Amino acid sequence: MPRVLLIGARGQLGVDLAAVLSAAYEIIPTTQDEMPVEDVARVRACVVQHNPGIIINCSAFHRVDDCETQVEQAFRVNVYGLRNLALAARESGALLVSFSTDYVFDSARRTPYGEDDIPTPKSIYGVSKAAGEIMLRALYERHFLIRTCGLYGYAGSREKKTNFVESMIGWARQGKPLRIVSDQVCTPTPTLELAHAVRNLLAVEDYGLYHLTCAGQCSWYEFATAIFELMDLHPAVSPVPTSEFPTPARRRGYSVLDNRRYRSLGFEDLPHWR
């Protein structure tokens, strides 16, 4: 059974990847605390010890607003960490899978971004992830680099201990009026659906950059109202512009990705976000 070193195994994506891949792969779970990707010696020692055929990197410094002030840490994890993994994978011959983000684009358009579109990030987080992409492509060809958007999963995010869906349900049940941003358009994507798509990619050898999100698009307000409808909840909810919630990092008005390369392999597109 092929061996997978799964970094970030307790995060919301890592949990679902382990569940989806465990039937066909031996999963070796590890966390950023156990194997900090920015520590080149520990990365190499871990890869040598376990000798995986596949390394899947779910670690990232993705607290978007904190990246604006913790710039060095963002680059240590998102750029230098990916460099360390690429070198270790190149030395061992393992396939490397890593994840990027819609934040590499600046939302200066209203049509979905394809893999050939040039990144133009406007936040430190986006800059660090775009730099990590360049680092990986420069060092090691045998990789899958996956950009995704609007992730949520049962495990919740490690920092927030929840996800957007559960947060909306919890707040609605408290009976408080809600104000949800209506001018940021994305594609909410369950981590379970992304994990199934990653499993499909592992069966092919067309390496490189892929966009993987659910189909369709919506604002966060539209996403929230769909959640309330499906859960038969009726909170007082109002659409508001991004300017009502100023943040250190700039948010994208439009960050929809097109999975055109994934479809070109003959795979069916991911389900509609709803």
Side-chain angles (χ1 to χ4, degrees):
M1 183 176 288
R3 183 175 293 182
V4 173
L5 178 62
L6 179 58
I7 306 164
R10 291 206 296 264
Q12 60 179 357
L13 177 56
V15 167
D16 282 335
L17 280 168
V20 169
L21 298 179
S22 59
Y25 299 89
E26 177 188 353
I27 306 298
I28 303 168
T30 188
T31 67
Q32 171 69 359
D33 292 335
E34 295 165 345
M35 195 201 75
V37 294
E38 62 270 34
D39 187 327
V40 63
R42 291 175 68 177
V43 167
R44 184 177 186 279
C46 186
V47 172
V48 169
Q49 175 188 353
H50 295 294
N51 191 29
I54 302 170
I55 301 170
I56 300 181
N57 175 38
C58 297
S59 69
F61 190 77
H62 51 61
R63 299 196 302 272
V64 176
D65 291 324
D66 288 345
C67 286
E68 295 296 310
T69 54
Q70 300 179 41
V71 178
E72 291 185 1
Q73 180 62 13
F75 274 75
R76 274 195 293 267
V77 176
N78 297 339
V79 185
Y80 192 70
L82 196 49
R83 174 240 185 211
N84 296 338
L85 290 169
L87 292 177
R90 188 174 71 184
E91 182 177 325
S92 68
L95 170 65
L96 178 57
V97 181
S98 196
F99 297 88
S100 192
T101 174
D102 57 294
Y103 274 82
V104 301
F105 297 115
D106 68 355
S107 74
R109 60 192 280 177
R110 285 297 181 270
T111 56
Y113 290 92
E115 291 91 348
D116 293 333
D117 288 312
I118 299 173
T120 51
K122 299 298 184 183
S123 67
I124 295 300
Y125 173 64
V127 169
S128 72
K129 294 298 285 185
E133 292 183 4
I134 295 170
M135 183 71 78
L136 175 55
R137 287 197 294 266
L139 292 177
Y140 190 45
E141 293 183 357
R142 193 165 179 252
H143 70 262
F144 287 115
L145 178 61
I146 297 167
R147 291 186 188 136
T148 190
C149 172
L151 288 186
Y152 64 97
Y154 286 116
S157 67
R158 186 177 179 189
E159 290 83 6
K160 298 177 182 178
K161 308 300 182 185
T162 186
N163 60 51
F164 184 83
V165 175
E166 293 171 345
S167 294
M168 290 298 106
I169 293 170
W171 290 339
R173 286 175 173 164
Q174 293 176 21
K176 299 178 181 179
L178 300 175
R179 300 164 68 244
I180 311 296
V181 169
S182 60
D183 57 356
Q184 294 177 27
V185 177
C186 66
T187 304
T189 302
T191 50
L192 188 61
E193 295 293 350
L194 178 57
H196 284 292
V198 170
R199 181 184 62 186
N200 290 340
L201 280 183
L202 293 180
V204 303
E205 296 184 355
D206 289 318
Y207 305 128
L209 174 64
Y210 288 83
H211 288 177
L212 289 179
T213 71
C214 281
Q217 61 185 47
C218 65
S219 68
W220 291 107
Y221 172 78
E222 292 169 325
F223 187 27
T225 55
I227 295 166
F228 301 146
E229 177 186 336
L230 293 170
M231 293 297 295
D232 195 26
L233 296 170
H234 307 281
V237 56
S238 303
V240 297
T242 299
S243 58
E244 293 289 313
F245 296 100
T247 57
R250 173 178 170 178
R251 264 46 179 187
R252 291 96 46 244
Y254 186 88
S255 54
V256 179
L257 305 178
D258 185 350
N259 304 343
R260 64 185 66 161
R261 189 174 178 204
Y262 180 74
R263 292 193 302 271
S264 74
L265 297 180
F267 295 122
E268 185 176 348
D269 211 349
L270 278 67
H272 192 274
W273 68 266
R274 188 177 175 95

